[in-house]
Amino acid sequence: MKKFFMTLAVAATAFMATTANAQTKEQFTDDLAISLNGAPQEPVIGTTVELEHQADGTSTFMLKDFTFGAFEVGDVIVEGIKGVKNGDATTYDFDGTAKLPSKTTLADILGHQIPLTLHSVVEGGKLYAEISLLVDMGEKLKVDCVFGKKSETAINGVVAGKTAPAAVFNATGARQNGLQKGLNIVRTADGKTVKVLK
């Protein structure tokens, strides 16, 4: 009987350790609008983004099998992002270097990393994300991507404190009194600039 309780205790400890290190994954599939140096490209239909939530409270954002134009990049991974809750929405922002682990020619040329800016909102089981990448292949190529459709939270930029809009401009650079229909350039309180299509 003593052996049975010891076995049960070991099993319970192993289960609790596994639960403590548990990761959860969310997967989203939607269209990806892409522009290269400001020129719109053919959208990629049925793109997949995964959000993997770690036990330490951080998340990993993965754009799966990313391709733009004739360039195949593979997976684009951003690790260690902290989500900011605002009601039913969670916002994930990142400005730094993303990993390109795939064995593609472009990932090899770029040294398996790329400068990336990310603003994303998860709300109601849907993900909206704005992703900007700077591809340096002798000549710099700015790749801007929009995944999914904006919710009211994403449109209004409701993000805790530091990323709230400080100034809004139209596509020609004229300052606006808030978001207008069409393309808006939003400068946030922390100095970042994001494009918002309303």
Side-chain angles (χ1 to χ4, degrees):
M1 190 61 133
K2 186 176 179 183
K3 188 174 180 182
F4 170 76
F5 284 117
M6 286 296 286
T7 304
L8 187 60
V10 169
T13 303
F15 174 77
M16 288 180 3
T18 303
T19 305
N21 293 324
Q23 301 171 343
T24 60
K25 246 185 217 181
E26 293 180 273
Q27 186 167 307
F28 307 91
T29 302
D30 214 320
D31 298 342
L32 186 71
I34 301 173
S35 67
L36 304 179
N37 289 339
Q41 306 295 303
E42 194 68 31
V44 180
I45 309 301
T47 299
T48 299
V49 170
E50 281 184 3
L51 265 178
E52 185 174 281
H53 308 290
Q54 314 299 329
D56 66 359
T58 64
S59 298
T60 298
F61 180 98
M62 182 187 299
L63 176 59
K64 304 281 283 178
D65 301 319
F66 179 54
T67 300
F68 64 93
F71 302 106
E72 182 184 351
V73 179
D75 294 344
V76 179
I77 300 175
V78 176
E79 296 177 318
I81 335 174
K82 288 223 179 234
V84 177
K85 292 275 296 167
N86 188 339
D88 293 334
T90 303
T91 303
Y92 300 89
D93 287 309
F94 177 83
D95 189 0
T97 303
K99 294 181 180 178
L100 305 175
S102 302
K103 299 293 182 200
T104 64
T105 302
L106 186 57
D108 287 342
I109 290 169
L110 296 172
H112 296 279
Q113 59 184 11
I114 192 165
L116 179 143
T117 304
L118 168 70
H119 170 71
S120 62
V121 178
V122 176
E123 183 177 26
K126 299 220 177 252
L127 170 74
Y128 170 80
E130 294 175 356
I131 307 161
S132 291
L133 305 102
L134 191 59
V135 181
D136 191 351
M137 298 183 300
E139 181 181 329
K140 290 193 192 291
L141 182 63
K142 188 161 188 297
V143 183
D144 292 310
C145 308
V146 175
F147 178 90
K149 299 182 183 44
K150 285 186 169 76
S151 65
E152 276 305 308
T153 302
I155 288 172
N156 294 326
V158 179
V159 181
K162 67 172 189 153
T163 55
V168 178
F169 303 89
N170 66 17
T172 62
R175 192 173 183 124
Q176 304 295 308
N177 293 329
L179 295 174
Q180 307 296 318
K181 188 164 182 69
L183 179 64
N184 296 269
I185 311 298
V186 178
R187 187 175 63 228
T188 58
D190 64 352
K192 292 182 184 174
T193 303
V194 294
K195 294 176 186 170
V196 177
L197 189 62
K198 183 172 180 183

